[in-house]
Amino acid sequence: MTSTSECQSDVSDEPREMLAAKNIVKRFQSANVLDGVSLTVKKGETVCIIGPSGSGKTTFLRCLNHLVKPDAGIVVLDRTLIGYRQHRNHLVELSERDIARQRRDIGMVFQQFNLFGHMSVMDNVIDAPVRVLKRNREEMLDEASKLLADVGLAERAKAVPSQLSGGQQQRVAIARALAMRPKVMLFDEPTSALDPELVGGVLNVIKAVTASGMTSVIVTHEIGFARSAADRIVFMDNGQVVEEGDARQLLESPRHNRTKEFLRAVL
Amino acid sequence: MTPEEISEAAQLPTRPRPSIGRWIFVVVVVGGAADSLYSLVVNKAVQWRLVGHYLFNPSILQGVVVTIELTVLSMILALLVAVIVALARLSKSRAIRTIAFIYVWIFRSIPLLVLLVLWYNIALFYPRFGLGIPFGPTFVSVPSARLVTALGSAVAALALNEAAYASEILRASILAVPKGQSEAGIALGMPPKTLFRRIVLPQALKIAIPPLGNDTINMVKSTALVAFIAVPDLLYASQVIYESNYEIVPLLLVATAWYLAIVSCLSVLQIFTERHMDRSTRRSTNAQIPYRSRMRILE
């Protein structure tokens, strides 16, 4: 972990903070998709991000692991600056290799699952730990079997992704992300591409992950799920955080009109 | 229809629509083909006895070996160059992209035959080959004639030409791998090289195999051009024989029969390769999930 510890900086000084984004700005063709978004997530906390389509939720989530490079603003994971190295009074961009090393601590689950189509379920789960973290293959096979059992797919280890339902694929994708033993998990609309009857199973798995103490940020349209799983809810609109607060409080007594309108439309 | 007629019709079996047009087409085509084949079989000028006689002639067999050698060597070399050119075409650097584009542009523009003859005669305009700094001093050099054999220049020309086409196939195949696949790899912390080797390339190759198989088959026949620079391939071997006995048609048919045999083997190989690769990823669902954005309350 040499280069990661070198990247430590004193940008964040509150020890309980696991993930912090400060003033993230992202423009696509001069339109501001993100207009100064900040978020702090404590260790073990679950934060759900809700908001209308095009509000910048997904882009913001992708900035957190530098899948999208923000035009301004910084992300700090466990006191480590992501994507940059502080050099005197400016930030120097890290190489792709070094950013890749940092991303190993950030698990991500995609809307479209994105399982590797040319690999079996088991290989999907163990490939990155074995190739990237250089974990022992046999040991990893054991661990992956347990993970697959946790998501209810112990018997499908040899299947290829195209033989699985969407819900099963998404559960494998969660196991794949967890196999890296990340410090944080990011979920990008994990149930939006699923048939209605498959949503529940996936949400149960995500709930088990958050309940186990995994720090999680979840972009979701499932308001009911957000109510029961989230410690905190962030409502975004037009590339900005409109309102954030305790899950129950935000859903039941929102302060801003825009939040009220949105909740009235979806509930 | 009356209710009775409807319930009666509901009991009736269905039959596919008769297609008289298709039948006429089949009869005309099969009839035409059979007639041409028959006229060839009974044609005196063909002299089938001679075709049979020369089919396994040692110098013809030697030519078959050279043709296969040329195809395999050129194709391997072409693929190696093509991967590099394809990656260069997809580079972030504009300069590298431009260099790769110029390569493709030049080698797709020069007729293969011209390229072959130019390579073969390269000693005319570059009498010595050397290793050194561009526009600077040369460290070692050897006469070109010693480096460039007929076979070597044939392989070089075939490979450089094919690499230009294959690089375009690979580039398109790499682009055809869904973006989510590399995003998933990136999110798992894979460094760029691992990502390409483990995730993108295997899936791109699967897409590339049918057109690359096509190019390989094309290559078998393109090798016939090397007869122009006296490489003793299949066509050249037949030419040598008919130039002494003037039995042009039978010997060209001998060569054709062998090309047909080689290409048939390659076609079968291609079918098996495709089937093998298809087994692991039948119907890639990742691309087929309908996009749906829903908002629902989960109780």
Side-chain angles (χ1 to χ4, degrees):
Chain A
M1 295 298 279
T2 47
S3 87
T4 331
S5 49
E6 274 167 23
C7 303
Q8 280 200 357
S9 67
D10 49 4
V11 181
S12 139
D13 42 28
E14 201 193 329
R16 287 178 309 163
E17 260 182 32
M18 186 51 122
L19 180 68
K22 312 263 185 211
N23 271 316
I24 303 288
V25 174
K26 181 70 194 175
R27 289 178 214 96
F28 285 126
Q29 278 134 24
S30 82
N32 269 14
V33 180
L34 293 175
D35 200 1
V37 179
S38 298
L39 176 73
T40 306
V41 188
K42 296 196 186 91
K43 191 167 191 297
E45 198 180 22
T46 301
V47 174
C48 281
I49 304 178
I50 60 170
S53 299
S55 58
K57 314 179 293 281
T58 290
T59 308
F60 176 63
L61 201 71
R62 286 165 165 255
C63 285
L64 294 178
N65 66 352
H66 260 239
L67 211 50
V68 170
K69 281 201 171 65
D71 293 320
I74 56 160
V75 176
V76 180
L77 173 75
D78 202 13
R79 313 196 82 199
T80 303
L81 192 56
I82 299 292
Y84 299 94
R85 178 166 56 85
Q86 190 167 359
H87 182 74
R88 301 216 180 99
N89 57 353
H90 53 266
L91 301 177
V92 184
E93 207 169 274
L94 291 176
S95 72
E96 269 308 309
R97 280 187 67 85
D98 287 336
I99 302 179
R101 197 166 286 133
Q102 296 184 327
R103 288 195 186 103
R104 292 164 200 173
D105 289 333
I106 310 174
M108 187 162 202
V109 173
F110 297 86
Q111 181 177 1
Q112 301 288 350
F113 334 130
N114 298 345
L115 290 184
F116 302 131
H118 59 307
M119 292 183 188
S120 71
V121 163
M122 182 54 91
D123 285 337
N124 262 280
V125 178
I126 68 167
D127 196 64
V130 171
R131 305 267 158 190
V132 174
L133 299 179
K134 311 288 178 208
R135 300 267 314 269
N136 176 288
R137 192 183 157 85
E138 303 306 315
E139 195 184 297
M140 208 48 230
L141 283 171
D142 274 357
E143 194 172 320
S145 304
K146 284 185 197 116
L147 280 168
L148 285 173
D150 286 345
V151 300
L153 289 167
E155 281 88 52
R156 307 308 308 269
K158 290 202 179 91
V160 289
S162 57
Q163 296 166 332
L164 303 182
S165 74
Q168 291 173 326
Q169 290 191 48
Q170 191 61 299
R171 284 184 276 150
V172 174
I174 294 170
R176 175 176 70 175
L178 290 174
M180 295 293 285
R181 296 182 176 164
K183 293 177 177 171
V184 179
M185 282 283 282
L186 310 177
F187 295 88
D188 181 14
E189 302 196 27
T191 58
S192 295
L194 296 178
D195 286 334
E197 79 271 22
L198 303 175
V199 170
V202 171
L203 290 183
N204 285 337
V205 169
I206 297 175
K207 229 173 200 174
V209 172
T210 60
S212 74
M214 176 62 73
T215 310
S216 309
V217 182
I218 307 171
V219 169
T220 186
H221 288 308
E222 307 280 349
I223 306 296
F225 170 75
R227 185 199 314 259
S228 62
D231 298 308
R232 233 157 11 102
I233 293 183
V234 174
F235 173 66
M236 280 182 69
D237 190 23
N238 264 327
Q240 289 178 319
V241 172
V242 175
E243 179 168 357
E244 69 171 287
D246 170 76
R248 205 157 282 276
Q249 173 265 316
L250 185 134
L251 291 177
E252 275 156 24
S253 46
R255 289 187 303 268
H256 288 261
N257 274 338
R258 188 65 192 92
T259 320
K260 282 179 200 161
E261 271 170 44
F262 174 76
L263 289 174
R264 204 179 306 126
V266 297
L267 283 177
Chain B
M1 277 175 120
T2 67
E4 292 77 33
E5 280 172 338
I6 289 173
S7 58
E8 194 187 335
Q11 308 294 322
L12 298 175
T14 59
R15 240 195 332 202
R17 194 178 152 74
S19 61
I20 296 157
R22 249 175 277 160
W23 273 108
I24 295 173
F25 178 76
V26 169
V27 167
V28 168
V29 169
V30 170
D35 185 60
S36 331
L37 201 64
Y38 177 74
S39 66
L40 191 67
V41 169
V42 298
N43 197 318
K44 289 279 180 328
V46 172
Q47 306 187 61
W48 288 102
R49 203 184 49 77
L50 275 179
V51 172
H53 180 265
Y54 281 108
L55 196 57
F56 296 103
N57 179 294
S59 66
I60 293 281
L61 291 181
Q62 190 56 45
V64 171
V65 171
V66 171
T67 290
I68 293 173
E69 259 174 21
L70 272 173
T71 308
V72 172
L73 287 178
S74 312
M75 207 61 204
I76 289 173
L77 192 61
L79 283 177
L80 291 177
V81 177
V83 171
I84 297 166
V85 175
L87 283 179
R89 285 273 271 147
L90 296 166
S91 165
K92 275 182 196 156
S93 147
R94 196 193 187 90
I96 294 176
R97 284 204 307 268
T98 310
I99 292 168
F101 176 77
I102 291 173
Y103 172 88
V104 173
W105 170 63
I106 288 181
F107 282 95
R108 285 201 304 193
S109 308
I110 305 176
L112 182 53
L113 183 55
V114 174
L115 191 63
L116 263 170
V117 178
L118 283 180
W119 259 110
Y120 187 55
N121 296 302
I122 201 156
L124 291 182
F125 31 122
Y126 296 109
R128 293 181 77 80
F129 268 131
L131 204 64
I133 298 164
F135 302 106
T138 308
F139 304 130
V140 280
S141 78
V142 287
S144 305
R146 237 201 290 158
L147 270 185
V148 185
T149 60
L151 192 79
S153 53
V155 169
L158 288 166
L160 287 176
N161 176 264
E162 172 56 25
Y165 290 96
S167 75
E168 286 293 278
I169 292 174
L170 287 175
R171 182 176 69 92
S173 308
I174 290 170
L175 290 176
V177 175
K179 206 159 172 259
Q181 294 288 307
S182 16
E183 284 180 350
I186 292 169
L188 285 167
M190 289 187 182
K193 267 187 208 142
T194 313
L195 183 71
F196 183 70
R197 259 205 326 264
R198 297 284 308 163
I199 308 301
V200 179
L201 191 61
Q203 302 193 69
L205 281 182
K206 191 193 152 217
I207 302 168
I209 276 184
L212 286 180
N214 209 23
D215 274 21
T216 311
I217 285 169
N218 219 349
M219 174 75 88
V220 174
K221 292 166 297 164
S222 302
T223 58
L225 290 174
V226 303
F228 271 87
I229 55 171
V231 176
D233 78 318
L234 177 51
L235 182 63
Y236 188 75
S238 346
Q239 281 175 340
V240 167
I241 297 173
Y242 72 61
E243 269 158 18
S244 62
N245 67 3
Y246 302 109
E247 301 292 358
I248 298 174
V249 174
L251 279 150
L252 283 181
L253 280 176
V254 166
T256 306
W258 277 109
Y259 283 117
L260 196 68
I262 298 171
V263 169
S264 305
C265 290
L266 284 176
S267 303
V268 171
L269 193 70
Q270 184 184 2
I271 290 169
F272 277 106
T273 317
E274 275 174 39
R275 206 174 284 171
H276 173 77
M277 300 206 83
D278 197 41
R279 199 167 299 149
S280 57
T281 50
R282 200 163 297 132
R283 285 180 297 130
S284 171
T285 48
N286 275 359
Q288 287 176 0
I289 293 140
Y291 174 80
R292 243 169 300 166
S293 178
R294 277 184 257 104
M295 300 188 183
R296 203 177 321 93
I297 310 146
L298 194 93
E299 289 310 326

